[in-house]
Amino acid sequence: MEHESDRVLEGKILHEESYPRLQEREVLIDNAFKMDHIDGKYVREVKMSSKMQESDHLQMLFYLYQLELRGVQKRGLISYTKEKKTVEVILDNDERAKVKRAIAQAYRVIEQAKPPVVKKLPYCKSCAYFGFCYVREADEYAT
Amino acid sequence: MLRDHYVFSNGRLNRKHNTIYYTDDQQKQTPLPVEKIRNLHVFGEVDLNTKLLNYVSQFDICLHIYNYYGFYAGTYYPREKTSVSGFLIIKQAEHYSDRHRRVYLASRFLEGGVHHMLRNLRRHKVENEESMYLIQKEYNKSQEALDIQTLMGHEGVIRKHYYQAFAQMLKQDFSFERREKRPPRDPLNALFSFGNTLMYRTVLSEIYRTTLNPTISYLHEPSTKRFSLSLDIAEIFKPLVVDQVILSLINRKTITKKHFDVLDHEICFLNDEGKKRFIRAWEDRLETTVKHRQLKRNTSYRYLVRLECYKLIKHLLGDDVYKPLKAWW
Ligand code: SF4
């Protein structure tokens, strides 16, 4: 569904153009999730801007946690191209609890028969699912 | 921006390193921008190999093959996408096997189609008043249909009135007796056949990008055509896209009688130049944007097709009640 969102596409092109030194790109683990890159003791992600730091952080925690479950200990680095900064993410006890909670919550949503009611959020506008969440037909048509 | 790419001449498509090359009869090579292609339509006689097919799969590109006359032959689809939803398939099937729910969806597709037919006829309101009235009346009757056969019967009558009036709006002598599906025997039928084929492919490639199963349909019988859901959704868009393209091609004389060939005095089809002109107008139309009333952003006709799939998904999930697109602009 997110294939053609311009933003996702922008993200894809970004991967090909920035950080050319990171040789091995897009690591797919168990056919389940994809990381931009693993570099020594770091998992790395490249983002366009730091607008969504919360969710970027959680995404990284998810990778680190999944790797840990497979017996691999790593730290995370998220690079923001626009701001030219990099932040480190470490999976400690608090963070582990946080990511487990988030996963449980995601399952609760997935297992619902219907999608939850749309809640207007500031980042909906740049979300790849915007079209799905907000499309409707007006009730009456003036013909 | 992803786009469709069309190959008309004879030649060869192959992968060299990380690029697709098209080599024509004169050995001229053209690289195709693989990350930017959504569909590859092959009209010419083209050689290709499995290496190319594998490559095309990686990029989720569908390869549609047409024969020389522009009739659809088949599609090479990338491997089954991972995002299938068993839950949604069950819902899709439930809405098919419950007669009332099926009729509801089928008549919504008809509703969208009729709205766009009337919208086309409204351009020549005075001449078409009678037909518009008859179509509206027949549509109103169709709303009482309790089964698909009855609904289809009304649809047939609507279509007859519509095509009669449509032919009246043409500024060239392109008359046709009645709409003949295959093989087309006159230029106008050839245009409809060609346009409708493009429409089905367009809808299918949008369905393909959602978790809908294209084989379960409501207005059309799922058993008769493999991807019958695309026929259902196309009902809404044919008058809005295909018929408007045809109307403007004929009335602006972009396509004239010389753009057709006849095979065995029987089958009428667009020649290469005709197909190119059609496709150019077609692509322009699909990329045209309108400001979406609900989304409040510019939306291309092609994306409107995707949105129709999303609305259907929401209906199937019980999240919203499906209403067809009715062009308001
Ligand atoms: S558009 Fe939908 S999926 Fe995206 S953030 Fe908003 S509510 Fe969530």
PDB file of all heavy atoms in Angstrom, chain A residues 94-108:
ATOM      1  N   ASP A  94      14.694  -0.285  30.327  1.00  0.00           N
ATOM      2  CA  ASP A  94      13.516   0.558  30.130  1.00  0.00           C
ATOM      3  C   ASP A  94      13.060   0.512  28.672  1.00  0.00           C
ATOM      4  O   ASP A  94      11.871   0.402  28.376  1.00  0.00           O
ATOM      5  CB  ASP A  94      13.854   2.015  30.466  1.00  0.00           C
ATOM      6  CG  ASP A  94      13.896   2.198  31.972  1.00  0.00           C
ATOM      7  OD1 ASP A  94      13.584   1.218  32.687  1.00  0.00           O
ATOM      8  OD2 ASP A  94      14.260   3.310  32.414  1.00  0.00           O
ATOM      9  N   GLU A  95      14.035   0.634  27.802  1.00  0.00           N
ATOM     10  CA  GLU A  95      13.701   0.675  26.381  1.00  0.00           C
ATOM     11  C   GLU A  95      13.145  -0.663  25.913  1.00  0.00           C
ATOM     12  O   GLU A  95      12.252  -0.723  25.083  1.00  0.00           O
ATOM     13  CB  GLU A  95      14.942   1.038  25.553  1.00  0.00           C
ATOM     14  CG  GLU A  95      15.542   2.379  25.912  1.00  0.00           C
ATOM     15  CD  GLU A  95      14.674   3.554  25.488  1.00  0.00           C
ATOM     16  OE1 GLU A  95      13.558   3.672  26.037  1.00  0.00           O
ATOM     17  OE2 GLU A  95      15.110   4.327  24.618  1.00  0.00           O
ATOM     18  N   ARG A  96      13.690  -1.736  26.476  1.00  0.00           N
ATOM     19  CA  ARG A  96      13.201  -3.063  26.115  1.00  0.00           C
ATOM     20  C   ARG A  96      11.720  -3.194  26.508  1.00  0.00           C
ATOM     21  O   ARG A  96      10.900  -3.680  25.731  1.00  0.00           O
ATOM     22  CB  ARG A  96      14.041  -4.147  26.791  1.00  0.00           C
ATOM     23  CG  ARG A  96      13.898  -5.498  26.120  1.00  0.00           C
ATOM     24  CD  ARG A  96      14.836  -6.543  26.694  1.00  0.00           C
ATOM     25  NE  ARG A  96      16.243  -6.245  26.440  1.00  0.00           N
ATOM     26  CZ  ARG A  96      17.133  -5.849  27.344  1.00  0.00           C
ATOM     27  NH1 ARG A  96      16.751  -5.685  28.614  1.00  0.00           N
ATOM     28  NH2 ARG A  96      18.384  -5.606  27.024  1.00  0.00           N
ATOM     29  N   ALA A  97      11.412  -2.724  27.715  1.00  0.00           N
ATOM     30  CA  ALA A  97      10.023  -2.790  28.182  1.00  0.00           C
ATOM     31  C   ALA A  97       9.122  -1.953  27.261  1.00  0.00           C
ATOM     32  O   ALA A  97       8.014  -2.352  26.901  1.00  0.00           O
ATOM     33  CB  ALA A  97       9.937  -2.277  29.613  1.00  0.00           C
ATOM     34  N   LYS A  98       9.654  -0.809  26.857  1.00  0.00           N
ATOM     35  CA  LYS A  98       8.884   0.094  26.009  1.00  0.00           C
ATOM     36  C   LYS A  98       8.556  -0.552  24.659  1.00  0.00           C
ATOM     37  O   LYS A  98       7.416  -0.493  24.191  1.00  0.00           O
ATOM     38  CB  LYS A  98       9.724   1.358  25.788  1.00  0.00           C
ATOM     39  CG  LYS A  98       9.039   2.484  25.095  1.00  0.00           C
ATOM     40  CD  LYS A  98       9.843   3.750  25.334  1.00  0.00           C
ATOM     41  CE  LYS A  98       9.732   4.735  24.202  1.00  0.00           C
ATOM     42  NZ  LYS A  98      10.760   5.780  24.302  1.00  0.00           N
ATOM     43  N   VAL A  99       9.554  -1.178  24.066  1.00  0.00           N
ATOM     44  CA  VAL A  99       9.315  -1.750  22.747  1.00  0.00           C
ATOM     45  C   VAL A  99       8.393  -2.962  22.854  1.00  0.00           C
ATOM     46  O   VAL A  99       7.519  -3.174  22.011  1.00  0.00           O
ATOM     47  CB  VAL A  99      10.634  -2.071  21.995  1.00  0.00           C
ATOM     48  CG1 VAL A  99      11.384  -3.232  22.582  1.00  0.00           C
ATOM     49  CG2 VAL A  99      10.337  -2.353  20.523  1.00  0.00           C
ATOM     50  N   LYS A 100       8.509  -3.728  23.934  1.00  0.00           N
ATOM     51  CA  LYS A 100       7.601  -4.877  24.114  1.00  0.00           C
ATOM     52  C   LYS A 100       6.159  -4.403  24.232  1.00  0.00           C
ATOM     53  O   LYS A 100       5.242  -5.019  23.693  1.00  0.00           O
ATOM     54  CB  LYS A 100       7.973  -5.660  25.377  1.00  0.00           C
ATOM     55  CG  LYS A 100       9.145  -6.615  25.201  1.00  0.00           C
ATOM     56  CD  LYS A 100       9.304  -7.378  26.491  1.00  0.00           C
ATOM     57  CE  LYS A 100      10.367  -8.432  26.433  1.00  0.00           C
ATOM     58  NZ  LYS A 100      10.628  -8.959  27.790  1.00  0.00           N
ATOM     59  N   ARG A 101       5.983  -3.306  24.965  1.00  0.00           N
ATOM     60  CA  ARG A 101       4.640  -2.759  25.115  1.00  0.00           C
ATOM     61  C   ARG A 101       4.066  -2.326  23.763  1.00  0.00           C
ATOM     62  O   ARG A 101       2.918  -2.592  23.446  1.00  0.00           O
ATOM     63  CB  ARG A 101       4.674  -1.545  26.064  1.00  0.00           C
ATOM     64  CG  ARG A 101       4.043  -1.820  27.428  1.00  0.00           C
ATOM     65  CD  ARG A 101       3.752  -0.540  28.198  1.00  0.00           C
ATOM     66  NE  ARG A 101       4.714   0.526  28.042  1.00  0.00           N
ATOM     67  CZ  ARG A 101       5.803   0.710  28.824  1.00  0.00           C
ATOM     68  NH1 ARG A 101       6.052  -0.117  29.816  1.00  0.00           N
ATOM     69  NH2 ARG A 101       6.624   1.726  28.619  1.00  0.00           N
ATOM     70  N   ALA A 102       4.934  -1.680  23.008  1.00  0.00           N
ATOM     71  CA  ALA A 102       4.474  -1.188  21.696  1.00  0.00           C
ATOM     72  C   ALA A 102       4.086  -2.355  20.785  1.00  0.00           C
ATOM     73  O   ALA A 102       3.086  -2.283  20.063  1.00  0.00           O
ATOM     74  CB  ALA A 102       5.567  -0.354  21.035  1.00  0.00           C
ATOM     75  N   ILE A 103       4.865  -3.428  20.840  1.00  0.00           N
ATOM     76  CA  ILE A 103       4.556  -4.586  19.993  1.00  0.00           C
ATOM     77  C   ILE A 103       3.208  -5.189  20.405  1.00  0.00           C
ATOM     78  O   ILE A 103       2.360  -5.491  19.568  1.00  0.00           O
ATOM     79  CB  ILE A 103       5.678  -5.649  20.069  1.00  0.00           C
ATOM     80  CG1 ILE A 103       6.954  -5.085  19.429  1.00  0.00           C
ATOM     81  CG2 ILE A 103       5.260  -6.935  19.358  1.00  0.00           C
ATOM     82  CD1 ILE A 103       8.189  -5.943  19.635  1.00  0.00           C
ATOM     83  N   ALA A 104       3.014  -5.310  21.735  1.00  0.00           N
ATOM     84  CA  ALA A 104       1.747  -5.855  22.221  1.00  0.00           C
ATOM     85  C   ALA A 104       0.582  -4.999  21.753  1.00  0.00           C
ATOM     86  O   ALA A 104      -0.457  -5.495  21.320  1.00  0.00           O
ATOM     87  CB  ALA A 104       1.767  -5.943  23.745  1.00  0.00           C
ATOM     88  N   GLN A 105       0.788  -3.679  21.819  1.00  0.00           N
ATOM     89  CA  GLN A 105      -0.270  -2.763  21.397  1.00  0.00           C
ATOM     90  C   GLN A 105      -0.565  -2.896  19.913  1.00  0.00           C
ATOM     91  O   GLN A 105      -1.716  -2.877  19.491  1.00  0.00           O
ATOM     92  CB  GLN A 105       0.167  -1.326  21.663  1.00  0.00           C
ATOM     93  CG  GLN A 105      -0.608  -0.673  22.778  1.00  0.00           C
ATOM     94  CD  GLN A 105       0.096   0.606  23.203  1.00  0.00           C
ATOM     95  OE1 GLN A 105       0.776   1.257  22.414  1.00  0.00           O
ATOM     96  NE2 GLN A 105      -0.060   0.962  24.461  1.00  0.00           N
ATOM     97  N   ALA A 106       0.494  -3.080  19.126  1.00  0.00           N
ATOM     98  CA  ALA A 106       0.308  -3.232  17.688  1.00  0.00           C
ATOM     99  C   ALA A 106      -0.523  -4.475  17.416  1.00  0.00           C
ATOM    100  O   ALA A 106      -1.432  -4.456  16.581  1.00  0.00           O
ATOM    101  CB  ALA A 106       1.655  -3.330  16.979  1.00  0.00           C
ATOM    102  N   TYR A 107      -0.251  -5.550  18.131  1.00  0.00           N
ATOM    103  CA  TYR A 107      -1.036  -6.764  17.925  1.00  0.00           C
ATOM    104  C   TYR A 107      -2.492  -6.559  18.290  1.00  0.00           C
ATOM    105  O   TYR A 107      -3.381  -7.094  17.647  1.00  0.00           O
ATOM    106  CB  TYR A 107      -0.442  -7.956  18.692  1.00  0.00           C
ATOM    107  CG  TYR A 107       0.621  -8.643  17.873  1.00  0.00           C
ATOM    108  CD1 TYR A 107       1.967  -8.537  18.192  1.00  0.00           C
ATOM    109  CD2 TYR A 107       0.261  -9.360  16.727  1.00  0.00           C
ATOM    110  CE1 TYR A 107       2.938  -9.130  17.401  1.00  0.00           C
ATOM    111  CE2 TYR A 107       1.219  -9.954  15.930  1.00  0.00           C
ATOM    112  CZ  TYR A 107       2.561  -9.839  16.267  1.00  0.00           C
ATOM    113  OH  TYR A 107       3.504 -10.415  15.476  1.00  0.00           O
ATOM    114  N   ARG A 108      -2.718  -5.776  19.338  1.00  0.00           N
ATOM    115  CA  ARG A 108      -4.097  -5.518  19.714  1.00  0.00           C
ATOM    116  C   ARG A 108      -4.843  -4.830  18.571  1.00  0.00           C
ATOM    117  O   ARG A 108      -5.994  -5.119  18.288  1.00  0.00           O
ATOM    118  CB  ARG A 108      -4.149  -4.657  20.988  1.00  0.00           C
ATOM    119  CG  ARG A 108      -5.214  -5.172  21.961  1.00  0.00           C
ATOM    120  CD  ARG A 108      -5.249  -4.352  23.232  1.00  0.00           C
ATOM    121  NE  ARG A 108      -3.987  -4.396  23.953  1.00  0.00           N
ATOM    122  CZ  ARG A 108      -3.514  -3.389  24.692  1.00  0.00           C
ATOM    123  NH1 ARG A 108      -4.193  -2.257  24.779  1.00  0.00           N
ATOM    124  NH2 ARG A 108      -2.372  -3.509  25.346  1.00  0.00           N
TER     125      ARG A 108
END
